[in-house]
Structures are given as C-alpha cells and as structure tokens.
C-alpha cells in the first residue's frame, strides 16, 4: 500500500501502472509495446553500483571490437569508429561529464547508448557475438582481479611494518597468554611475527584465488557460445587473462571466483580483527603495553582524559560486514540453476563494499602498528605475575633429575601453591622453600626461573628465543621480498 502514497506511483490504485518511461527500452524493447513501471525500473537498475565497472567494461568492449575486426566480423571502418567513440565515452566518464540514468539499467547499456549518440549506426554492431551475460562476468572478474592486486599490496605494506617492529622488539619480553591467562613469557617480536605469518597465508589465498579467476568468460555470449567465428583466445589475451573459460554455460553463471575472493577477504578481516582486539587489550589502562599514537586515537566529547582505540575497535567490527558479504553472496547463489539469473546482479554491492573496507582496514592497521609506542617496562613488569616460568622449573626437574614430566608437573604445582600462599613470584622463593617441596632442587634451578632465561632457552624451530626470532625474521624478510617480486610479474 505504501507505493500508492508515492507520487511517482499511481494514486490510490496500486494496479495502475506509472510508466517511468512511456517508450520501450531502445536496446531490448523490440517485443515490448510500452516502457517499464517506475518500480520495475527501480528494482531492475544496477547502474547505481555497476558504474564502478566502467573502466573494465570499456577495456572489454575495446578488446571485443578489435577481435571482431580481425576476425572479419566487423569492418575496419566501423571498428575504427567504435574505438574512437569508446575513447570519447571514457573521457566523458573520467571528466564526470557522463550522464547516468536508471532507464538505461546498467553500465553496459549506458556505454552502448552513449556510443550510439556519438557515432550512430556502427555502435549497434558492437554487441555482435556478445551478451551482457558474458560482458558482466568479464568486467566483474577484471574488477576482482584488480582488487586482489590492491589488497596484496596492502597486505605487503602491513607485513613490512610488522617485520620492522618485530626486529625492534626481538628481545622485548611480555607474558604470552592462553585463555587470556598468563602462560609463558614470549618476546614481542615473536608475537608480531605470528601476524606476519597469518597475513602471509592471506596473500597466498588471494594469489590462489587470482590464478583460478584469471580466465576469460568473454565470447560465451548469452550462454551457449556464438555462431560467429570469434577468437576467444585473442580477447582473453588482450584483457590479461591466462586463457578463455572452457564452458560457455559455466562462464556466464560462475560466481565462485567472487565467493573465493570474499572468503579470502573474510579470513584476512578476521586476522585484522584479532590484532585489533589485542591492540584494544594492550592499550587498556590495566595492561598499558602499548600507547597508540594521537594520529590513531580519539578523545571523548565529555570525558577530557579519554584516549580511545577507536581504529582498533573499528577493524575488529569491520570483519562483521565483510563476513556478511561472503554469506550474502553464498545465499544468493545457492539455489540458482544454470545459467544466468538476474539474482546475480546482486553480487556486486557486497563484493565492492568488502574489498573497499578491507583495503582501508589494512592501511589503518599498518598505520596503527607503525605508530604505536611499546611500553617495555609494563610488559616486563607483567611477566612477574602469573608464575610464567613454572614450566621451566618442571623442565629443569626433568632435565637435571630425570624426573618423569608428569611427576615434575605435580611438584611444580605444589611449589606454585606455596608461592601463591606467600604472595610472591616463583623467582622470589628461597632455595629452602623450593627444597621443602623437592629436596633435590639446587640453586641452579633458580636460574631457570628468570623470564629472560625462559625466553632465551626456547630455541626450538619456531620458538620465541630472541635468537630464533632473529633467524625467523631473516627468513620472513626473504619470503616477503620474493612475494613482492612475484606479484609484479
Ligand atoms: N546488470 C546485469 C548484472 O549485473 C548485467 C547482465 C544482464 N543480463 C541480463 N540477461 N539481463 O548482472
């Protein structure tokens, strides 16, 4: 009933149609006596968002046009006129002088309609051996491929910041946590390199996604291929695709490339969110492990003392809509028969938004981590709480007294209880205290109780010892350089 209240819709009677345009659509309206209802036009139009595909659409039209000429399907004269016209359209769009109108539905029809205005009859020949179905699939693949490259660059920059900060803090100790409870001392460099690894795998996921998506749907036409002697390899090559897609029906209906992209975006967003959460915790008054720079903090409008980690919280939050985008497209696709259905027009908004938000998030995270001040004293002080070196004492009992680990675990448990009872840390217990629980303990065991010692001794591959962190850093930097080189190819 709401629609009857609308001025543009019919007054009172919802059955009376209000023509958005009395004329049938000039591009497909041959079998229509009249134009669409205003609401039909509104629900059908995608130009509001797919104008973001303009560059890709123009590149694709140019490749298609040149191929048509080479294949002898289009005259050189018409081909020339079309290419000139497309260049003019491109200039108009770049200059913001192009008129977008919902009546023309989408970017493909906008380009063609304007081309017709500019060059007349030859414009109508561009759509030979092509459909909007293979057009949009091609444009969208190119768009996602470009987004993958931008995101890879963003991930690389963030990794670089993590490498630099990890290098600075290869020896800085802080409590390592499990269950958010004190577990064992670790180095801050080691902690940061954990994120380097996550973002490295993210880059791998985007690389895999890029390799799989980089096949051209162009030439699949509506769904079944075409009767014209087109050269799909040529258009694929011109657009930077590795090869044409094998199956025309798959080519126009596949959106798994976008799903895979959104899955990779979601996982990267989750990694950013986890780091965001750590920054919130580390910057809190209870922890004070880090201080975020003024540039990446906000104040409160009422409480003058406040310094809030808004950016870190927002990166934590942004994982939500990005994961939502993946879900949105999964649900859109799940019931669709082959081949193209208009449902698929709804693939773009979530994909564009997710990519944009992830790109922004990567830049913000790089800025925050580069800028933050590390409070080494607060980190070191925190390691004196929570009996972080209890495992080290158990290891000493195993290594020096040949005690079975399970028994050592029990002995140290009793020692921890004693320390807790006395209200001191393990390293503050006297040798006499320790001997009370296990008479064979010597002064040497007390050395095992220092956090520096505990950290330095964790030299196993992938361990937290500063020595290990330094060699891990070297390997990480080499991998990072190689990945950047590969990305440029
Ligand atoms: N705007 C459409 C989309 O984004 C283009 C393809 C339209 N194809 C069609 N058969 N109506 O999906």
């Amino acid at each position: 009933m709401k629609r009857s209240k609308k001025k543009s819709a019919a007054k009172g009677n919802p059955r009376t149609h209000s023509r958005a345009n009395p004329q049938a659509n000039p591009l497909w309206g041959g079998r229509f006596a009249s134009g669409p209802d205003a609401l039909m036009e509104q629900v059908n139009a995608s130009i509001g968002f797919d104008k973001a595909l303009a560059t890709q659409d123009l590149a694709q039209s140019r490749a298609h046009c040149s191929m048509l000429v080479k294949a002898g399907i289009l005259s050189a004269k018409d081909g020339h006129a079309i290419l000139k016209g497309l260049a003019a359209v491109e200039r108009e769009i770049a200059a913001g002088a192009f008129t977008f109108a919902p009546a023309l539905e989408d970017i493909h029809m906008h380009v063609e309609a304007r081309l017709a205005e500019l060059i007349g009859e030859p414009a109508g020949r561009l759509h030979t051996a092509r459909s909007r179905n293979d057009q949009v699939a091609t444009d969208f693949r190119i768009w996602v491929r470009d987004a993958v490259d931008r995101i890879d660059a963003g991930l690389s920059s963030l990794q670089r910041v993590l490498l630099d900060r990890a290098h600075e803090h290869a020896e800085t100790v802080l409590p390592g946590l499990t269950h958010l409870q004190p577990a064992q001392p670790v180095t801050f460099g080691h902690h940061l390199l954990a994120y380097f690894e996550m973002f490295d795998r993210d880059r791998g996921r985007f690389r895999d996604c890029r390799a799989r998506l980089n096949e051209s749907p162009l030439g699949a036409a509506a769904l079944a291929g075409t009767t014209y002697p087109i050269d799909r390899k040529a258009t694929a090559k011109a657009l930077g695709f590795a090869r044409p897609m094998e199956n025309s029906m798959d080519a126009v209906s596949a959106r798994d490339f976008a799903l895979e992209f959104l899955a990779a975006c979601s996982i990267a967003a989750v990694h950013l969110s986890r780091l965001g959460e750590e920054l919130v915790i580390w910057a809190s008054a209870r922890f004070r492990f880090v201080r975020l720079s003024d540039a990446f903090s906000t104040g409160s409008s009422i409480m003058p003392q406040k310094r809030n980690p808004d950016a870190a919280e927002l990166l934590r939050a942004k994982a939500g809509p990005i994961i939502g985008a993946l879900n949105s497209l999964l649900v859109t696709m799940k019931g669709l028969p082959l081949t193209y259905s208009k449902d698929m027009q709804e693939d773009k908004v979530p994909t564009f938004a997710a990519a944009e938000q992830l790109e922004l998030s990567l830049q913000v995270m790089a800025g925050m981590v580069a800028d933050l001040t590390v409070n080494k004293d607060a980190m070191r002080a925190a390691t004196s709480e929570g009996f972080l070196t209890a495992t080290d004492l158990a290891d000493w009992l195993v290594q020096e007294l040949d005690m079975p680990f399970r028994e050592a675990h029990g002995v140290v448990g009793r020692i921890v209880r004693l320390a807790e009872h006395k209200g001191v840390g393990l390293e503050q217990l006297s040798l006499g205290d320790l001997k009370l629980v296990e008479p064979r303990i010597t002064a040497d065991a007390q050395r095992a109780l220092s956090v520096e010692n505990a950290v330095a001794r964790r030299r196993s591959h992938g361990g937290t010892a500063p020595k290990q962190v330094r060699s891990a850093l070297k390997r990480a930097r080499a991998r990072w350089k190689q990945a950047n080189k590969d990305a440029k190819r």
Side-chain angles (χ1 to χ4, degrees):
M1 282 300 108
K2 256 194 192 139
R3 79 173 253 211
S4 60
K5 283 190 202 132
K6 270 211 165 175
K7 235 186 161 182
S8 60
K11 284 186 200 86
N13 181 2
R15 280 166 184 272
T16 310
H17 296 271
S18 149
R19 302 264 176 269
N21 192 335
Q23 244 77 89
N25 188 299
L27 294 169
W28 48 248
R31 57 137 33 247
F32 287 72
S34 73
D37 187 278
L39 289 175
M40 180 58 209
E41 188 173 289
Q42 201 186 334
V43 76
N44 198 36
S46 56
I47 189 62
F49 48 87
D50 68 16
K51 59 180 156 196
L53 296 176
T55 314
Q56 291 78 2
D57 200 65
L58 287 160
Q60 177 256 119
S61 284
R62 271 195 291 269
H64 182 66
C65 173
S66 302
M67 180 278 292
L68 289 179
V69 171
K70 261 210 177 127
I73 301 163
L74 189 68
S75 75
K77 190 165 157 267
D78 285 345
H80 182 74
I82 290 171
L83 291 178
K84 240 181 101 181
L86 289 173
V89 171
E90 183 151 51
R91 279 195 299 275
E92 287 181 8
I93 292 178
F98 192 91
T99 320
F100 294 101
L104 285 169
E105 278 187 44
D106 58 24
I107 187 62
H108 323 296
M109 306 223 318
H110 273 77
V111 170
E112 192 181 319
R114 182 63 184 139
L115 193 65
E117 283 173 8
L118 290 171
I119 68 167
E121 196 253 17
R125 297 182 186 275
L126 175 59
H127 211 52
T128 313
R130 186 178 77 170
S131 154
R132 277 189 292 159
N133 297 350
D134 60 339
Q135 245 185 305
V136 74
T138 305
D139 295 359
F140 196 28
R141 271 180 199 258
I142 300 174
W143 192 95
V144 171
R145 189 177 68 189
D146 292 344
V148 163
D149 293 344
R150 289 195 303 273
I151 289 169
D152 183 69
L155 282 163
S156 169
S157 301
L158 174 55
Q159 279 188 306
R160 189 216 163 106
V161 171
L162 289 167
L163 286 173
D164 291 347
R165 307 269 11 212
H167 180 81
E168 252 175 84
H169 292 285
E171 287 180 23
T172 305
V173 291
L174 79 163
L177 315 177
T178 62
H179 313 267
L180 201 66
Q181 302 287 335
Q184 292 174 348
V186 294
T187 49
F188 192 49
H190 195 52
H191 197 134
L192 293 178
L193 284 186
Y195 282 98
F196 175 93
E197 294 297 328
M198 293 179 230
F199 294 126
D200 214 40
R201 288 192 296 276
D202 287 329
R203 289 182 79 182
R205 267 181 283 275
F206 282 110
R207 257 198 311 275
D208 293 349
C209 163
R210 192 189 197 283
R212 239 186 311 279
L213 75 74
N214 203 24
E215 294 185 343
S216 173
L218 194 58
L223 76 162
T226 174
T227 55
Y228 298 92
I230 58 169
D231 183 352
R232 291 193 60 206
K233 278 192 184 150
T235 47
K237 188 163 176 238
L239 295 170
F241 289 110
R243 62 194 77 85
M245 287 180 79
E246 274 298 325
N247 182 297
S248 63
M249 295 178 78
D250 177 42
V252 294
S253 55
R255 290 296 181 273
D256 53 307
F257 70 90
L259 290 172
E260 202 174 345
F261 171 70
L262 290 172
C265 286
S266 297
I267 298 172
V270 165
H271 291 156
L272 286 169
S273 176
R274 295 184 72 178
L275 184 49
E277 166 69 358
E278 302 224 65
L279 290 173
V280 170
I281 293 172
W282 292 340
S284 70
R286 291 289 159 266
F287 275 73
R288 288 187 202 284
F289 284 1
V290 304
R291 183 181 166 89
L292 299 174
S293 69
D294 286 1
F296 286 99
S297 300
T298 48
S300 153
S301 58
I302 173 169
M303 298 165 281
Q305 86 284 10
K306 285 288 243 176
R307 243 188 117 70
N308 293 329
D310 290 33
E313 295 168 273
L314 285 165
L315 297 199
R316 196 172 56 185
K318 280 179 191 296
I322 294 175
I323 295 164
L326 170 61
N327 276 305
S328 159
L329 187 53
L330 281 169
V331 176
T332 299
M333 295 306 296
K334 74 168 275 294
L336 297 187
L338 300 190
T339 56
Y340 179 85
S341 296
K342 197 63 174 256
D343 309 50
M344 287 153 75
Q345 179 162 283
E346 302 286 319
D347 56 4
K348 291 166 207 69
V349 173
T351 309
F352 291 167
E356 187 193 324
Q357 292 304 307
L358 180 60
E359 268 179 76
L360 173 64
S361 299
L362 288 166
Q363 288 172 6
V364 170
M365 184 57 90
M368 253 192 307
V369 176
D371 270 20
L372 61 81
T373 314
V374 174
N375 186 349
K376 286 192 200 184
D377 295 339
M379 287 183 176
R380 179 69 182 77
T383 61
S384 65
E385 279 167 42
F387 315 108
L388 292 176
T389 53
T391 316
D392 296 86
L393 183 53
D395 287 345
W396 187 92
L397 296 170
V398 170
Q399 285 159 2
E400 301 302 320
L401 305 182
D402 198 26
M403 198 182 268
F405 182 79
R406 196 47 61 212
E407 192 185 328
H409 188 285
V411 169
V412 177
R414 289 193 289 283
I415 292 175
V416 166
R417 237 171 49 206
L418 178 67
E420 201 166 35
H421 179 74
K422 292 195 155 200
V424 297
L426 287 177
E427 65 283 8
Q428 284 147 330
L429 287 175
S430 69
L431 187 56
D433 289 336
L434 296 173
K435 277 184 180 295
L436 225 56
V437 181
E438 170 50 63
R440 289 175 293 166
I441 290 182
T442 68
D444 181 54
Q446 285 179 298
R447 238 168 292 146
L449 293 173
S450 90
V451 286
E452 278 71 22
N453 198 63
V455 157
R457 292 187 56 203
R458 284 192 167 67
R459 274 190 297 263
S460 54
H461 184 93
T464 195
K467 204 175 156 213
Q468 262 307 337
V469 171
R470 285 211 186 81
S471 68
L473 258 167
K474 246 187 227 150
R475 294 192 298 272
R477 215 178 270 282
R479 271 156 57 208
W480 176 77
K481 277 190 185 150
Q482 187 58 48
N484 291 345
K485 245 192 227 161
D486 293 346
K488 273 203 195 103
R489 269 188 227 134

